[in-house]
Amino acid sequence: IPGFLNLTWNGSRVGTRYDYETPIDPAITAFELLLPAGLTNAQGSHELSYILSHGGNHSEVTPEVINVDAQAPLPNGEVTLPAEVERDGITKPYLDANGFVLVTVPQYATKKIGDVIEAFFGISLPGAISIGNVTVTDTAVPVTFNLTAAQVGTEEGEKELWYTLMDRKGNKSLPSAYKKTNVSLTDPPEGLLPPNIPLFDDDTLPKLVDLADAR
């Protein structure tokens, strides 16, 4: 008995049909058909199925819904840093005390399990380094990175932090907005004395700078 198999995409026949004739070798337990290139480029839901014609009789086959995602996740602004680093930049005393700077990636609307988030530090690409990458396993948990003292290095000046998003389909976003921060790795002055104001510290009471002093 002759027959054939033919893939369908959204109800239309596609690809090369597979012709057979019984008896079929019992060692064959599955048939492979090739979906032509280019059909999965269109964003949205599609129906993949096949026609089974056996001796002229067609069998009904339930379609498989294929969701095509061609849109990369969209970053949601800059990373955030600890309040002290936001205020003072990355300093030697902070790194000495903490060992690293906590870098937090903001939540974004299309976050899904399997997304890969990678963070960078430096002065744009290609000179920047990757701080690391994280695969999302729980969309409710914020993604953070530890920017270590070794990763900061020894070069002072203004640096940038940013991140990229890649979904499990391999769609990668453009870089996020750049967070600028100053790096200062020299020890700050210590043992500073209070300012000396002779006219305030004279022997008159109450202690003040009066009009006569000002004149």
Side-chain angles (χ1 to χ4, degrees):
I1 300 174
F4 69 85
L5 295 161
N6 205 140
L7 288 179
T8 65
W9 183 255
N10 295 329
S12 299
R13 294 188 189 189
V14 294
T16 303
R17 82 179 198 178
Y18 181 95
D19 293 297
Y20 68 84
E21 188 171 296
T22 59
I24 297 174
D25 184 349
I28 298 176
T29 58
F31 299 91
E32 292 186 357
L33 294 95
L34 185 65
L35 187 67
L39 294 177
T40 55
N41 289 341
Q43 177 92 4
S45 295
H46 305 270
E47 289 189 345
L48 174 66
S49 188
Y50 63 94
I51 295 169
L52 169 58
S53 176
H54 186 73
N57 298 311
H58 288 215
S59 297
E60 292 292 327
V61 181
T62 302
E64 180 78 17
V65 176
I66 305 294
N67 293 308
V68 176
D69 180 7
Q71 186 171 1
L74 186 64
N76 182 29
E78 302 175 350
V79 300
T80 57
L81 306 173
E84 183 178 340
V85 179
E86 293 276 7
R87 184 188 68 231
D88 301 331
I90 300 173
T91 64
K92 186 175 185 297
Y94 187 90
L95 290 175
D96 289 344
N98 298 278
F100 64 89
V101 176
L102 186 68
V103 180
T104 302
V105 174
Q107 293 284 58
Y108 55 96
T110 60
K111 188 176 184 181
K112 291 182 175 64
I113 292 174
D115 286 358
V116 177
I117 303 174
E118 187 170 11
F120 299 88
F121 171 78
I123 305 176
S124 302
L125 291 172
I129 64 166
S130 172
I131 301 173
N133 61 74
V134 170
T135 300
V136 175
T137 57
D138 185 340
T139 57
V141 176
V143 173
T144 61
F145 296 89
N146 291 344
L147 174 62
T148 66
Q151 289 171 328
V152 172
T154 59
E155 185 176 305
E156 296 187 316
E158 187 176 77
K159 303 289 183 179
E160 296 168 331
L161 287 150
W162 71 95
Y163 60 94
T164 59
L165 310 171
M166 184 173 69
D167 64 23
R168 60 186 180 182
K169 308 292 178 61
N171 300 311
K172 189 172 183 179
S173 73
L174 294 173
S176 70
Y178 292 86
K179 162 77 76 175
K180 295 184 183 296
T181 186
N182 190 63
V183 176
S184 179
L185 301 175
T186 55
D187 286 314
E190 294 182 352
L192 297 179
L193 300 176
N196 178 31
I197 309 172
L199 293 177
F200 177 77
D201 291 331
D202 59 17
D203 294 332
T204 60
L205 293 175
K207 298 183 67 174
L208 50 80
V209 176
D210 58 20
L211 182 60
D213 292 331
R215 285 173 175 167

